[in-house]
Amino acid sequence: MIVAMQDSATEEHIQRVIERMVELGFNVHRTTGAAQTILAGVGTPDHFDVAEFKVLSGVHDAYRISSPYKLAGRNFRPEGTRIKFANGVVIGGEEVVVMAGPCSVESREQILLSAKQVAAAGAKFLRGGAYKPRSSPYSFQGMGVEGLKLLREVADETGLLVITEVMEISQIEIMLPYIDVFQIGARNMQNFNLLRELGHVRKPCLLKRGIAATIEEVLLSAEYILSGGNYDLMLCERGIRTYETATRNTMDISAIPVLKKLTHLPVLADPSHGVGIRDMVPAMALASVAAGADGLLMEMHPNPDKAMSDGAQSMYPEQLEKLVAQLRQLAPVVGRSVA
């Protein structure tokens, strides 16, 4: 159930509604926007009458939620979620945010050079894997904690924020001091135990769409994190597996406007994994922004031909620089700007 409070509702009015919802057996999630407070009641009480809440003091409206995802739906935050970072970066606002870097941290020299090139191109986040989920057990698996330390060190040196992938529950506490955003990869989109734990962490998360996941399944996975009280969540379209073999995956650009309509959460795009071919990444990045993406997560390596993972889809530094310049030209056409 959603209870939308009046603009003029006092804190006393809000608390009375919350108390009644709790009495009925709801878990109450509160969000307060610029002009209105929304109360989302999640749970399965035996019986309740929505009409009872419509007449309570301070209530503007109350209604049942028919969709299976309660907190991820746009009704919970009609104005949209904006995730703010200490350095002033905002995701989910008017600015498109660029995140870039290599697939994995390989050495201090490599990740420092990557950070300098990413910052010079105009990106705000450094991406790079310290722990790498690989299809083959014999492939490079990442540098672990040492990689996390290097990411933090070079990001601080270049004024960037850090996003990197978490693969299992045991890594959460280890990663907290070093990162700004937890990335949940496509393989873990339905790792519900991991999602539950991330719901209890007060650190932003980026949830990638699984390779064969429907949009409803993405939103239900998001619900696991939101239900724990972590509302700083972003979704990411990164391509799905289809019968097409010309590209590594099929970049589902249409998912971006669909998600923007269904959810209040910021929606990003990862065109590097979406197509898996570096020369096609810029076109998919531009198309994603035109479709409404709030940000881009892309792979760039100082020397992609010698990358230890995902070299074929990693852009050269000059490609990233050119792409960001093109994004700055495109963004105003769709009413946006580039952070």
Side-chain angles (χ1 to χ4, degrees):
M1 177 176 65
I2 288 286
V3 179
M5 303 300 295
Q6 296 172 358
D7 296 353
S8 59
T10 65
E11 186 61 29
E12 184 179 356
H13 290 149
I14 294 169
Q15 288 303 318
R16 285 177 182 172
V17 175
I18 291 175
E19 289 170 6
R20 181 54 183 153
M21 293 172 77
V22 171
E23 287 175 6
L24 291 171
F26 283 110
N27 292 317
V28 181
H29 295 260
R30 173 180 176 173
T31 180
T32 300
Q36 188 179 46
T37 293
I38 303 291
L39 305 175
V42 180
T44 54
D46 293 333
H47 176 73
F48 71 96
D49 186 357
V50 173
E52 172 189 345
F53 289 88
K54 289 178 180 286
V55 298
L56 292 179
S57 298
V59 171
H60 171 68
D61 197 8
Y63 47 91
R64 292 177 182 268
I65 306 172
S66 58
S67 66
Y69 42 88
K70 314 301 181 185
L71 302 176
R74 181 159 286 277
N75 287 337
F76 181 53
R77 280 187 175 174
E79 74 281 5
T81 288
R82 296 189 176 196
I83 302 174
K84 301 177 182 179
F85 295 86
N87 66 349
V89 173
V90 177
I91 298 179
E94 293 182 1
E95 294 185 322
V96 176
V97 178
V98 176
M99 306 176 177
C103 174
S104 57
V105 182
E106 300 168 6
S107 67
R108 187 183 189 281
E109 293 73 20
Q110 172 253 11
I111 197 62
L112 177 58
L113 180 55
S114 297
K116 289 180 178 178
Q117 291 169 337
V118 164
K124 296 299 181 183
F125 280 79
L126 174 66
R127 61 146 295 153
Y131 302 97
K132 292 304 301 176
R134 305 301 300 279
S135 299
S136 169
Y138 308 112
S139 299
F140 177 61
Q141 304 289 313
M143 293 180 65
V145 176
E146 185 60 30
L148 292 173
K149 292 178 179 179
L150 289 174
L151 281 168
R152 186 73 271 163
E153 178 187 339
V154 303
D156 288 344
E157 186 174 330
T158 53
L160 297 169
L161 297 165
V162 173
I163 177 170
T164 192
E165 183 168 355
V166 59
M167 292 172 56
E168 55 187 66
I169 293 172
S170 63
Q171 295 170 353
I172 295 175
E173 288 296 327
I174 297 171
M175 294 173 70
L176 277 171
Y178 303 109
I179 71 163
D180 298 290
V181 177
F182 284 106
Q183 174 185 312
I184 304 108
R187 291 176 177 86
N188 273 321
M189 189 205 83
Q190 290 184 314
N191 182 343
F192 300 125
N193 289 331
L194 175 62
L195 301 181
R196 281 194 186 95
E197 288 301 316
L198 290 170
H200 301 309
V201 174
R202 295 303 173 257
K203 180 85 76 171
C205 295
L206 179 145
L207 177 65
K208 285 193 168 186
R209 182 183 185 181
I211 61 173
T214 65
I215 287 175
E216 182 171 291
E217 287 169 340
V218 174
L219 292 171
L220 285 171
S221 290
E223 196 79 5
Y224 274 88
I225 297 174
L226 296 169
S227 65
N230 186 354
Y231 304 137
D232 287 340
L233 176 62
M234 300 162 261
L235 305 180
C236 184
E237 167 58 39
R238 49 81 66 204
I240 53 176
R241 179 171 292 174
T242 68
Y243 54 78
E244 183 55 70
T245 58
T247 53
R248 179 176 173 182
N249 293 295
T250 297
M251 186 70 179
D252 185 7
I253 299 290
S254 67
I256 297 170
V258 171
L259 285 167
K260 294 288 287 184
K261 180 178 180 180
L262 294 176
T263 182
H264 56 86
L265 300 171
V267 180
L268 284 76
D270 176 356
S272 299
H273 285 88
V275 288
I277 303 168
R278 76 168 66 92
D279 290 341
M280 296 182 183
V281 170
M284 291 296 98
L286 291 164
S288 297
V289 171
D294 296 298
L296 296 166
L297 179 67
M298 300 178 289
E299 293 190 354
M300 183 233 67
H301 194 285
N303 190 352
D305 297 331
K306 293 187 177 181
M308 298 182 74
S309 56
D310 283 352
Q313 67 189 36
S314 299
M315 287 184 288
Y316 294 105
E318 56 270 23
Q319 284 181 301
L320 177 64
E321 189 173 351
K322 180 180 178 181
L323 172 58
V324 175
Q326 291 174 324
L327 288 168
R328 293 192 189 283
Q329 292 179 310
L330 171 67
V333 177
V334 291
R336 309 290 289 271
S337 59
V338 177

